[in-house]
Amino acid sequence: MSFKLFITFLLFSTVHAKRLLRLPIIQQQQQHIDLAKRDVIPALPLYNANAREYLVQIGIGTPPQLFNVTLDTGSSDLWVPSSKCSTKICPYSRFVESDSSTLNLTKQVFEVQYGSGSAKGVVAYDSVTINGDLTSANQVMGLATTTEGMSGPSSSSHEKASGILGLGFAGLMRDPKHNVPFITNLLNNKIIDEPVFSIYLNRQGDYGYTGEIVIGGYETTRFTGKLDFLPVVTYDERSGKPYLGRTYSTGGIQKYWTVPGQEIKSFKTDGTQLFATRFEDLQPVILDTGTTLSYLPLDIVISLMETVTSEYKAIKLNDGKIQAYEVKCSDFIDQQVWFDFQFSPLAKSFSANPVVIRVPLKEMVLPQNTNNISTATTCLFGIAPISSGFLNSIGSGWILGQTVLRSAYIVHDMLGSQVGIGAAANGYKSPTFDETEQSIANRISRTSFFFLVALVFFFIF
């Protein structure tokens, strides 16, 4: 996780008698099972301030104390600052333990480490309230007494992040055998009928209330075409390696929302291919709403970036590691270039019919000194090199953050262990050329050319 989400909750009924929670988001700086869906739901606004933060508002304790917490599919723990955390470290909302009549405070140590920060405190159990009157009892959480690197970017908005709500699997939790994630606890408390949630982030430049989250099912008007489903990749409990491709095996534990990555391409609107990867095996791909950028191996980042621009500068940390790349904003405005992230619906092998998230070039760059790419003078490329430490832990892989996920509607199904992907209904007109037919046509053209050369050679000699 790295940046944040704000969501208020609304319960709504369905014609299928399924309980769904519809959550507008505030943005700041295998076998398919029948999921609950809505054909017509009143639109609720989502506020996008600067394409950096996504927060969800929840109430903790009795009576509820309100917190804006980061919505993070890349982790599984819920925590908020304790009243014992200093205002210097925890400057916004803090949980006052003595004010909650339902708090069960333990003596267990809570500690969680993220890619760009950490939190430490004590384990507690208390009620979590959404929409003011829907209460899920006995939710495990951390009450942080100290944090590092968790303050997030500055924002002129009054919504500030105070904690994190992880929406990953129990395998990522501090005590997965004795605790359950937030979504599972909502199911156990009969707040929802299915352990499913769906996320629509919309375009980064659409500031204001423009996106939403549905808990308990999905919203049909937020994507175009159909949903295609991918299996959730499991991990070996001891080694941490994913069961995928050549190392596929049944069993294992679920941790991240990881799906089988197959290929990455960049191309022009007319179908001209600019770059394509060549992987020998499937790649584990983590879908992470809590991460602003997306992360790939260094050589792929450079290759993709150079299909757009030759002018870029590495931004390095104190230890010399590359954190991101600064690029010219103007190079990303007018070019009609698209990026395809392809996934296999099979955990064992590549597929001839991959599932695709297609991202327009404008979503692959983040303005830095203004909120508008047209007026900004400095921008960041939306993909950065993945850390060697992370790769050492799993062998290979990608992390797809907001720069990619904004172009998709993502259905997270815990019961079916699957992820549904549809093209986000965000106003972009995606190319629809048939890549298979084009590939065949290219092969035919090359074959015809060589045949003609051979024929000429025969008659001359």
Side-chain angles (χ1 to χ4, degrees):
M1 77 52 74
S2 79
F3 298 108
K4 324 219 185 256
L5 285 157
F6 175 68
I7 305 170
T8 54
F9 293 75
L10 176 67
L11 179 68
F12 58 95
S13 61
T14 77
V15 294
H16 306 288
K18 299 291 187 180
R19 281 188 289 270
L20 301 181
L21 299 178
R22 183 182 178 83
L23 304 84
I25 307 171
I26 292 180
Q27 182 182 2
Q28 295 191 178
Q29 294 219 79
Q30 294 106 316
Q31 182 69 29
H32 174 70
I33 65 173
D34 185 22
L35 302 178
K37 63 182 180 180
R38 285 282 292 175
D39 295 319
V40 180
I41 302 174
L44 296 179
L46 174 153
Y47 183 74
N48 172 352
N50 59 12
R52 294 295 192 280
E53 300 184 75
Y54 294 87
L55 311 175
V56 52
Q57 186 181 74
I58 61 176
I60 294 179
T62 306
Q65 301 176 41
L66 298 181
F67 292 84
N68 296 329
V69 292
T70 302
L71 185 67
D72 182 19
T73 59
S75 68
S76 299
D77 290 293
L78 165 62
W79 67 266
V80 295
S82 163
S83 63
K84 296 178 175 61
C85 185
S86 70
T87 55
K88 183 177 181 181
I89 298 176
C90 305
Y92 309 123
S93 300
R94 296 183 297 162
F95 185 72
V96 181
E97 291 85 348
S98 59
D99 286 352
S100 176
S101 62
T102 49
L103 174 65
N104 177 10
L105 193 62
T106 77
K107 295 182 180 180
Q108 300 175 55
V109 174
F110 175 83
E111 189 169 8
V112 61
Q113 179 72 47
Y114 301 99
S116 59
S118 63
K120 186 175 181 178
V122 296
V123 175
Y125 295 82
D126 209 337
S127 298
V128 176
T129 300
I130 52 181
N131 195 43
D133 59 356
L134 300 172
T135 300
S136 182
N138 203 38
Q139 175 64 53
V140 64
M141 65 189 71
L143 298 180
T145 55
T146 182
T147 69
E148 289 186 13
M150 303 305 299
S151 59
S154 61
S155 171
S156 58
S157 173
H158 67 277
E159 291 87 11
K160 305 291 185 180
S162 295
I164 291 175
L165 173 59
L167 294 179
F169 288 92
L172 284 176
M173 298 186 75
R174 186 195 63 84
D175 187 3
K177 293 184 178 180
H178 299 97
N179 296 315
V180 297
F182 177 70
I183 296 296
T184 305
N185 203 45
L186 289 177
L187 179 72
N188 293 345
N189 284 301
K190 304 186 185 305
I191 303 299
I192 56 176
D193 290 330
E194 295 174 342
V196 177
F197 63 96
S198 307
I199 298 177
Y200 172 76
L201 298 180
N202 212 337
R203 309 193 324 179
Q204 66 155 307
D206 285 356
Y207 304 123
Y209 293 89
T210 58
E212 70 179 13
I213 288 181
V214 172
I215 291 182
Y218 65 92
E219 162 62 73
T220 58
T221 65
R222 291 303 192 182
F223 61 92
T224 61
K226 62 185 179 69
L227 290 173
D228 293 305
F229 284 82
L230 303 170
V232 172
V233 175
T234 58
Y235 291 79
D236 182 86
E237 193 165 2
R238 291 188 176 181
S239 69
K241 304 293 184 182
Y243 288 149
L244 183 66
R246 295 171 184 170
T247 61
Y248 173 79
S249 177
T250 57
I253 61 171
Q254 296 170 324
K255 299 169 66 177
Y256 302 97
W257 289 100
T258 304
V259 294
Q262 177 165 308
E263 189 174 15
I264 302 171
K265 295 181 178 180
S266 65
F267 56 92
K268 296 182 179 179
T269 301
D270 63 5
T272 302
Q273 184 173 290
L274 302 174
F275 171 78
T277 55
R278 293 290 184 268
F279 293 113
E280 295 183 359
D281 201 0
L282 294 176
Q283 304 292 300
V285 181
I286 296 173
L287 308 180
D288 185 0
T289 60
T291 298
T292 301
L293 301 180
S294 297
Y295 295 88
L296 302 173
L298 176 61
D299 59 329
I300 297 176
V301 176
I302 296 295
S303 296
L304 286 171
M305 188 164 50
E306 289 184 344
T307 65
V308 180
T309 182
S310 59
E311 297 186 42
Y312 55 86
K313 181 177 67 175
I315 299 174
K316 298 182 179 181
L317 299 173
N318 293 334
D319 59 5
K321 293 180 181 179
I322 298 174
Q323 184 181 26
Y325 286 96
E326 186 177 293
V327 295
K328 285 179 59 178
C329 304
S330 57
D331 288 340
F332 289 76
I333 296 177
D334 298 324
Q335 295 189 66
Q336 297 299 308
V337 176
W338 299 76
F339 296 85
D340 269 10
F341 296 84
Q342 300 187 0
F343 313 90
S344 174
L346 309 171
K348 294 181 179 180
S349 61
F350 290 96
S351 172
N353 299 295
V355 177
V356 178
I357 296 179
R358 182 162 291 169
V359 185
L361 182 61
K362 286 184 178 180
E363 293 295 324
M364 273 298 170
V365 64
L366 298 175
Q368 292 302 289
N369 56 338
T370 73
N371 286 335
N372 192 321
I373 185 177
S374 300
T375 59
T377 56
T378 59
C379 285
L380 288 184
F381 186 49
I383 307 175
I386 196 166
S387 72
S388 57
F390 180 80
L391 290 180
N392 290 338
S393 67
I394 64 170
S396 63
W398 325 335
I399 299 176
L400 299 185
Q402 298 164 18
T403 52
V404 172
L405 299 183
R406 271 191 280 265
S407 296
Y409 187 76
I410 310 291
V411 179
H412 306 74
D413 176 13
M414 286 182 152
L415 179 63
S417 298
Q418 61 182 353
V419 172
I421 293 180
N426 56 12
Y428 284 110
K429 186 177 181 181
S430 173
T432 56
F433 58 87
D434 190 320
E435 295 182 65
T436 303
E437 291 181 1
Q438 183 188 47
S439 178
I440 294 173
N442 289 340
R443 290 199 297 271
I444 292 174
S445 297
R446 288 195 295 269
T447 302
S448 300
F449 172 77
F450 288 118
F451 176 76
L452 180 61
V453 171
L455 192 63
V456 171
F457 183 83
F458 174 80
F459 280 108
I460 292 177
F461 296 98

